[in-house]
Structures are given as structure tokens and as C-alpha cells.
Amino acid sequence: MAADPANLAYVRTEEAPLLPPPANEAGVRGWLIKNLFSSPLNSLLTILVGAFLIWLIWDTVKWGLFDAVWTGENREACTGEGVGACWPLIWDKFPQWMYGFYPIDQRWRPNLVFLIGGAALIPMLIPSVGGKLWNAMFLLIFFPLITIILLSGGHVNFLAQTYAAVIALLLLAAVIVPIAAFGLEDGLQRNRPGIILAAAALLVWLGGFLVDTPSISIGFARVNALPFFSMLLAFLAGVVSLKVALADNSGAGRSALKGWALIAGGLLLAMLLLDIDFGLEPVETSQWGGLLVTLVVAVTGIVASLPIGILLALGRRSKMPVVRMFSIVFIEIWRGVPLITVLFMSSVMLPLFLPEGVNFDKLLRALVGVALFSSAYMAEVVRAGLQAIPRGQYEGAQALGLSYWQMMAKIILPQALKISIPNIVGNFISLFKDTTLVSIIGIFDLLGIVQAGLRDANWASAASAPTGYFTVALIFWVFCFGMSRYSMFIERRLATGHKR
Amino acid sequence: MAEPARKLEVGDEVAVQIVGMNKWYGEFHVLRDINLTVYKGERIVVCGPSGSGKSTLIRCINRLEEHQAGKIIVDGIELTNDVKRIDEVRREVGMVFQHFNLFPHLTVLENLTLAPMWVRKMPKAEAEEVAMTYLTRVKIPEQAKKYPGQLSGGQQQRVAIARALCMNPRIMLFDEPTSALDPEMIKEVLDVMVDLAQTGMTMLCVTHEMGFARQVANRVIFMDQGQIIEQNSPVEFFTNPKSDRTKLFLSQILH
């Protein structure tokens, strides 16, 4: 018999009472039952894992605290039977772990760098502190300069040729000013003479490698003819291009020119600053070491890889075939090579290709290698973020008339980078740890200096190596864990009300 | 019926002119020989079965889609590969999308002021003032500080309309503005659109809201398989369709 709807009709007349949850759902007991003892198998696993953890923690504590040696002058202190950690080793070696072979009387310089860096970084990391733009400018432009001058002593002594070459390059770069101002097609058309001159300059410069030309005398110095002519051409190209940019009455040309002048002026100013003799004792980079080098390599890699990676990721998704091909080739080459190989290439092979007399610092070469290597990885991380942004966001921005760079800077990248934060920070962390590989080309980073210290006959004991490695692991862990927690904090902060 | 539409003036100035336009997706011929002249102040509703190319057509007008043959002239500017002209056209043409395409990382107010500030170089205070005027016009000024994700679909679409209006466009394109909305929210969006039509805005609207077409459109265009099959005044279109395909379509959507 079918149910009669009239019999099933129902109207609620009184509210059902709100009751507390049953005991095994709430409170400590509820938590324990739910998370640790929800089934016989889980209870067994809880007990086994718990026992293992207790054993592990107890042994570590016993090794590091109860059985540890706390005082001593040399290995004698740590050679006894059943000795745990050998802490006097750390007290003795710690300065070296921080600074490597940096001259002892000059160690105030890295200390000052640490201090300035920390003082500038902390307000940068706290969202509520204002003046982020100035803070970032200081950290990205002035702090690196201060660091280089303080740590190396400055007074680089650039040659006159170097200045001339840099100025020629900057003027050559001015060729793109009209393109930046008026777009690719229009810019190329307006600046045809400038581009022809620039191409000629490049050709003449390349010719200088192939043909030996007589040197000519210009007033005070004798210079090689071809490079001199190429500089002249570059100079002309720059002047012509800048005139093209200025000739236009719309603000675009002028603002592009301003941008170029700012970069060119800044670069020359930086060179001059590095050139000045501040009276600091020069310290070769081969004397740098320990945490100092680890931080220099890691921070350079981190700071350089994000912008380069973003540009490469945008390039890889660009509609312009040349840009896209370049990005793909760059990314795939660097990602296809192990970091160790990159470091070996930079230290062993690169000098073979450079012209005689040109020599870059070993640490600098490693820095460039690490930065480019991590940029390639960063590019793929950012690209993944870009791909997660729905097409509608691009269309919404385009329909409003935003230009490509406005769209990227204001709409796409803020969202893409937010999605990518976990992976970006993951990259930072792995880069930070990968810096230990520089020890393979004879740069004493934190791990390298710890290992070197362990070979010291004065401290040779069975307890030394575990103590050293344990401490170095702890230092790395503190940095990486810090980055990880900070990224989680930023993620939570940016997640307000953004769900779609 | 459909009297209010008559009262609105249609100028003899041309807003959009499309001549012999064709478009292909690879081998597939999506738009075939489109000829359409839109006069200033016209309210045109484009309808047709799914896949008929109606969305593609209006997306060609602000170059979100590229056409391969023929001419599109918007407000006297012909659309070519020239990025500058495309930007010029996009500044004058506002667009509202089916899925709103609001920027989820910006507040409603920031969504509205972004383009005026960066594209029109308007000072922030002025842009915010303009934004608040339009938010008031779409009846949600109190939501200015919220993020799009905190609003209902209808409210989001009204924000999207206000966002397009903040650029002070001469032509508005609507790409199925109510198709992604729950039934009870369709009306609030349509009300805003009717309101906008009363101001004499040139509007091209892809929609299945035949009530809206009857009320405000002065011309209805029916598309099928990439072609314009029939266009007529709404009264004629709904009461006396000429083509068999139109009759079939109308019989399916009007119950």
C-alpha cells in the first residue's frame, strides 16, 4: 500500500534542544580517542611510535646534556669513555665557523654587515611597519654595496678602460629606450639609425677579437683601434636613441629616458663608490668563510633568483617567439645540469674561455652560477603559479585597457606569487642548503669550515665529529625552519577573503 | 509592449562597424561574413544557440579575440595588430563577463579604481570618488571595502558593471552577464542593466534573457553557426520571426 502523503505531513512546533557533544568527541579524552587510539591497530602504532620517540629523545638528551663535556682546552677533555657531545670544541671553533679565515682584527666588519642587514630585514619582515618601499630599496641597492665595501674593503681600482666599456655598454643599452617608450614596432621604426649604429658597434667590437689592429694614439693614451671605434659607435648609437626618445612630446619618451638615466647613473655611482679608498684593509674573498659565506651565497641566490625567475617565467609564456625560445633554452639548460657541475664549470672551465688578463673572483663566479641555477628553478615555480590564474583574470585586465606590464604587475603576478609562496620558499630553503656544495670548489662555507676544523689534530676525538655535525645541522635547521614558518605566516596573512 | 525602448534615442553616429568579418579557430570557421553597424545609443541583444559564435563576436569588438578577415572599426578606430590602437579601443569599450572576472586579491573599491588610476592616470582621490558614485548607482556602496569573494554572485556582477563604467566607456559589451547567477539574483543585475540603457549607453548584450530584450533592446540579432541569421526590432523578432532557425530557437527558449 502506498504511503498517504496526508499521513506523512508534519510541522515542527517546538525547537529541538542544543546539546553538548558526547564525551568521546570533545575534551582530552575525546582528542586521545580520536587521534591516537581510534582502532586497535592505531593504538598499537601509537604505542610503538611513542616508545621509539621516547628512546630517541632520551638518547639525544643524554648525549647532548648528561654525558656531554662542557669545559676543556683541547682533545684531552673529550677522549674519555662514554663521552657524549664535546661542547668545548664548539666554544673554541665558533668564531671560525662564523667568519672563516677572516682576519681576527677585522671581524667587526662582518659583524657590522650582520647588524645592518638584520636591522634592515626585521622591519621589512613585519607587515605593520611602514616605509616598505624605502626599506626594500635600502636592502636591495645600498645594503649590497655596503656589504661589498665593508667585507672586501672596497677600493677596487677600476681601470679607465673598464669605465669606458661600462659607459659604452650603457649607451648601447639606451637603444632600447625608444622601444620601451613607444612599443616594439613603433620604437624600432623611429630609432632605425640608432639601431644600425648599435649593430655596427657590436660588429666592430666582435671584429676586434678576430683581427689585430694597430693601436692609435688619442691625446693621452694609446688604445686599440677597433675597440675604440666600437665605443665611438656605441656612444653615437646611444646619443641618437636618446634624442629619438626626447623628440617625442608625449611623456612616454621622457619617462623611459628618466628610467635609463636612473639606472645608468646608479651603476656609475656604484662603480665610483666601489672605487673609493675608504682606508679599509683589503680582505680577499678566499679568506671569507663559515656562516658569512653561506649567507652571502644564499642571500645573493635568493634575492637574484626571484626577479630573474619571474622574468624567465613570463618569457616562457610570452607570445614573442624569440623571447619564448630564449627563456625555454635558458631554463632547460640550467635545470639539466647538476649544481656541482655548474660550480665546477664556473671555477675550472670559465677561466679558460675568458680572455687573458680578465679574471673574476672565484666567489663571484660561484655566486653568479648559483643565482642563475636557482633562477631556472624559480622560473618553473612561478610559471606553475601563472598557469593557475584563470584566463578570465587576463581578460578582465585587458578589457579595462591595462597594458601587459600593468596587467602582470597589478593583477596576475600578485595572485600567481601568492599561490607559489610554498614552492618559492621551498626553493629558497633548498638553495640555502645547496650552498654547502660550494665547499667542493674550495670555498669554505659553514659546512666546509666545520669539516676543516674537525681535521685539527688539537681536537681529534671520537666525540668531535658528531658534535660538529650536530651543531651545523642545528644552525641550518634554525634558518630553514625560520623561513618556513615565516612563509606560513605570510600565506595566512594574504589569504583574507580571497576565496573565489 | 516594449514601448520604453522606443523612447530612447538612437543617434545616426556609428559606434561600431563590422564589415565582412571572418574568424577561424584553426580549421574551424567560427564567424562567417559578419556585417553589422551599431549606432550610438543602440541597445542590441545578440542571441542564438550555444556555439553559434555570439560571444566570440562581441569579444572581437575589444580584441579579446582576433579576427582574420574583414574590418572592425570601433569609435572610428580600426582594430589591427597595432597594440596602441587596441589599447585605445579597450579604453573606450567596457566589458562585463559571464564569470565577473573581478580581481580577487583587491577590494571592491580597488577593483574599481585600478584602471582609472593606471590607464587614465586619474588621481587616487578622484578615482575613489568616481568609484563610489558608480557603486551607489549599482546600489552596493556599503560593500566597497570587502573582497569580491565575500559578495554574492549578483553583487559581484554589479561590481563588475560598475568597474567597467568607471572607465567612462562609450560602448558596453555584456557577455552573458546573468548566465552564471542564481535565479533570484538575475533580476538585480538586469535592473542595473536596464537602468544603464536608460542613460543612452551603447550596449551590445549576449543574453538569453528575452524579457530584457523585449524591454530595452531596439534590435535583436539572432546568430547560428557563426552567421547572423536574422535581425529585427524585438517586437517583430518575437512575434513574427522570419527564418525557420529563429522559429525553432524561439520555440525552444520561450515556453
Side-chain angles (χ1 to χ4, degrees):
Chain A
M1 207 173 80
D4 178 4
N7 286 342
L8 295 172
Y10 169 75
V11 176
R12 182 175 286 286
T13 50
E14 56 191 77
E15 290 286 303
L18 295 163
L19 299 172
N24 52 2
E25 282 293 317
V28 178
R29 190 163 158 261
W31 187 89
L32 282 175
I33 289 173
K34 207 167 168 183
N35 291 293
L36 297 178
F37 301 101
S38 58
S39 72
L41 178 63
N42 283 354
S43 307
L44 183 69
L45 287 175
T46 300
I47 291 164
L48 285 178
V49 172
F52 175 72
L53 278 179
I54 289 169
W55 171 74
L56 192 72
I57 292 168
W58 169 246
D59 264 20
T60 312
V61 169
K62 193 157 144 305
W63 174 82
L65 294 178
F66 304 144
D67 292 351
V69 177
W70 296 89
T71 51
E73 291 305 312
N74 52 38
R75 63 183 293 275
E76 303 293 330
C78 303
T79 45
E81 191 68 25
V83 165
C86 179
W87 297 123
L89 168 81
I90 313 291
W91 319 145
D92 191 46
K93 296 284 181 193
F94 199 73
Q96 206 182 56
W97 289 8
M98 290 297 107
Y99 312 103
F101 305 111
Y102 209 92
I104 293 174
D105 58 332
Q106 298 294 325
R107 283 183 183 169
W108 61 272
R109 281 152 60 176
N111 280 339
L112 192 59
V113 167
F114 286 148
L115 201 70
I116 298 174
L121 190 62
I122 288 168
M124 192 71 205
L125 295 182
I126 302 173
S128 57
V129 177
K132 284 278 178 287
L133 185 67
W134 293 105
N135 203 334
M137 290 243 293
F138 176 80
L139 271 173
L140 292 177
I141 299 171
F142 297 103
F143 180 60
L145 269 176
I146 294 172
T147 305
I148 297 172
I149 292 170
L150 267 177
L151 290 184
S152 73
H155 196 34
V156 183
N157 252 334
F158 290 117
L159 300 169
Q161 287 101 293
T162 317
Y163 276 109
V166 169
I167 291 172
L169 270 177
L170 286 171
L171 284 164
L172 208 59
V175 171
I176 60 166
V177 169
I179 296 175
F182 311 118
L184 191 61
E185 272 171 52
D186 200 18
L188 283 178
Q189 204 155 20
R190 291 196 204 200
N191 193 22
R192 190 160 291 161
I195 285 164
I196 292 171
L197 279 169
L202 280 176
L203 279 177
V204 173
W205 178 69
L206 285 175
F209 285 106
L210 301 175
V211 203
D212 246 346
T213 47
S215 52
I216 51 168
S217 178
I218 46 151
F220 53 93
R222 293 189 66 76
V223 292
N224 216 327
L226 278 182
F228 178 69
F229 279 128
S230 102
M231 270 184 204
L232 236 99
L233 284 168
F235 180 76
L236 277 175
V239 172
V240 169
S241 310
L242 294 179
K243 268 188 89 171
V244 166
L246 260 184
D248 192 80
N249 280 328
S250 75
R254 208 148 296 178
S255 67
L257 187 79
K258 243 188 241 165
W260 174 83
L262 210 66
I263 292 172
L267 214 66
L268 286 175
L269 188 71
M271 275 182 86
L272 277 174
L273 275 174
L274 290 179
D275 211 339
I276 293 174
D277 185 1
F278 288 97
L280 291 168
E281 188 186 311
V283 180
E284 295 276 323
T285 54
S286 55
Q287 288 173 282
W288 306 10
L291 187 65
L292 175 66
V293 156
T294 295
L295 286 177
V296 165
V297 177
V299 171
T300 313
I302 286 171
V303 171
S305 67
L306 190 58
I308 301 177
I310 290 173
L311 287 179
L312 284 170
L314 292 178
R316 193 164 185 168
R317 288 169 59 84
S318 164
K319 284 194 187 112
M320 289 183 268
V322 178
V323 175
R324 190 174 59 234
M325 273 314 290
F326 172 81
S327 306
I328 292 177
V329 168
F330 184 97
I331 292 169
E332 294 307 333
I333 286 181
W334 285 96
R335 286 209 314 161
V337 183
L339 183 55
I340 294 192
T341 319
V342 172
L343 292 171
F344 271 132
M345 294 265 275
S346 76
S347 82
V348 184
M349 280 182 73
L350 197 63
L352 297 181
F353 296 125
L354 288 172
E356 228 168 290
V358 178
N359 190 22
F360 288 110
D361 186 85
K362 184 160 77 174
L363 182 63
L364 182 64
R365 277 178 279 151
L367 284 180
V368 173
V370 167
L372 293 181
F373 180 84
S374 50
S375 304
Y377 279 89
M378 196 57 77
E380 290 300 277
V381 165
V382 175
R383 191 167 69 95
L386 287 173
Q387 261 157 356
I389 305 301
R391 224 179 106 196
Q393 292 292 307
Y394 290 86
E395 290 179 349
Q398 284 168 349
L400 286 168
L402 294 179
S403 72
Y404 175 82
W405 290 108
Q406 287 172 338
M407 170 173 81
M408 284 302 164
K410 296 281 157 190
I411 307 300
I412 306 300
L413 282 174
Q415 298 183 58
L417 292 180
K418 195 189 89 197
I419 302 174
S420 311
I421 288 175
N423 290 331
I424 290 176
V425 176
N427 248 13
F428 286 170
I429 289 175
S430 74
L431 169 63
F432 190 85
K433 294 186 291 188
D434 283 351
T435 57
T436 50
L437 288 174
V438 298
S439 62
I440 223 154
I441 56 167
I443 296 171
F444 286 101
D445 77 310
L446 182 53
L447 184 62
I449 205 100
V450 168
Q451 273 178 315
L454 290 177
R455 284 195 289 271
D456 183 353
N458 210 11
W459 283 103
S461 78
S464 300
T467 312
Y469 288 125
F470 180 81
T471 313
V472 89
L474 202 64
I475 296 175
F476 271 102
W477 182 80
V478 166
F479 276 96
C480 296
F481 185 66
M483 283 194 263
S484 168
R485 295 305 298 190
Y486 184 71
S487 94
M488 284 163 75
F489 162 70
I490 284 297
E491 250 181 277
R492 269 199 309 276
R493 205 185 125 76
L494 291 178
T496 44
H498 291 181
K499 54 188 187 298
R500 281 165 62 83
Chain B
M1 66 198 286
E3 284 315 308
R6 291 275 166 75
K7 285 179 203 141
L8 291 166
E9 272 178 34
V10 172
D12 46 11
E13 227 177 307
V14 174
V16 181
Q17 185 155 36
I18 303 177
V19 186
M21 193 260 277
N22 283 277
K23 175 173 174 59
W24 289 264
Y25 283 135
E27 289 288 303
F28 179 55
H29 200 168
V30 266
L31 290 178
R32 295 193 257 168
D33 189 36
I34 303 286
N35 290 287
L36 175 66
T37 306
V38 180
Y39 293 95
K40 211 149 257 180
E42 275 204 284
R43 285 93 39 211
I44 294 181
V45 163
V46 185
C47 60
S50 134
S52 60
K54 48 197 194 307
S55 282
T56 311
L57 169 63
I58 73 159
R59 287 158 60 87
C60 281
I61 294 173
N62 67 352
R63 195 70 172 192
L64 285 184
E65 303 278 355
E66 216 173 295
H67 60 283
Q68 279 90 29
K71 268 192 205 175
I72 302 179
I73 301 164
V74 183
D75 213 28
I77 306 162
E78 184 180 350
L79 279 169
T80 60
N81 277 323
D82 188 346
V83 181
K84 272 194 153 173
R85 290 199 202 177
I86 296 174
D87 283 345
E88 248 173 272
V89 166
R90 284 176 179 164
R91 279 199 288 271
E92 303 307 329
V93 179
M95 184 152 191
V96 176
F97 300 87
Q98 182 178 0
H99 296 290
F100 330 134
N101 296 356
L102 294 176
F103 308 131
H105 61 303
L106 302 176
T107 62
V108 166
L109 191 62
E110 288 165 339
N111 263 281
L112 267 64
T113 55
L114 184 93
M117 279 165 62
W118 288 92
V119 180
R120 294 244 192 256
K121 312 283 177 207
M122 201 185 271
K124 191 177 178 199
E126 193 187 336
E128 285 185 349
E129 200 178 310
V130 172
M132 287 314 293
T133 332
Y134 283 112
L135 275 185
T136 312
R137 232 174 95 182
V138 299
K139 304 183 185 69
I140 36 174
E142 73 283 358
Q143 312 284 6
K145 298 284 175 216
K146 287 194 185 163
Y147 286 95
Q150 295 166 299
L151 306 186
S152 75
Q155 289 172 326
Q156 290 194 44
Q157 192 60 297
R158 284 187 280 156
V159 171
I161 295 174
R163 180 176 74 176
L165 291 177
C166 278
M167 283 293 282
N168 197 15
R170 305 196 186 175
I171 301 162
M172 283 286 286
L173 307 175
F174 292 84
D175 187 3
E176 307 205 24
T178 55
S179 304
L181 296 178
D182 291 335
E184 75 264 33
M185 293 171 185
I186 291 177
K187 189 176 174 300
E188 62 187 54
V189 171
L190 287 181
D191 283 349
V192 168
M193 288 169 63
V194 171
D195 204 41
L196 185 64
Q198 307 292 342
T199 65
M201 174 69 76
T202 311
M203 290 165 70
L204 270 105
C205 186
V206 173
T207 183
H208 296 119
E209 293 299 324
M210 291 306 138
F212 174 78
R214 283 204 185 93
Q215 194 187 346
V216 300
N218 66 315
R219 197 153 32 131
V220 179
I221 290 176
F222 173 69
M223 288 182 72
D224 192 17
Q225 293 178 349
Q227 304 157 87
I228 295 180
I229 303 294
E230 187 167 345
Q231 53 173 315
N232 216 329
S233 70
V235 181
E236 278 292 300
F237 181 83
F238 288 114
T239 53
N240 189 16
K242 306 281 185 299
S243 131
D244 288 341
R245 284 198 248 182
T246 316
K247 285 175 195 163
L248 179 67
F249 175 72
L250 287 177
S251 74
Q252 277 163 350
I253 61 162
L254 304 173
H255 316 290

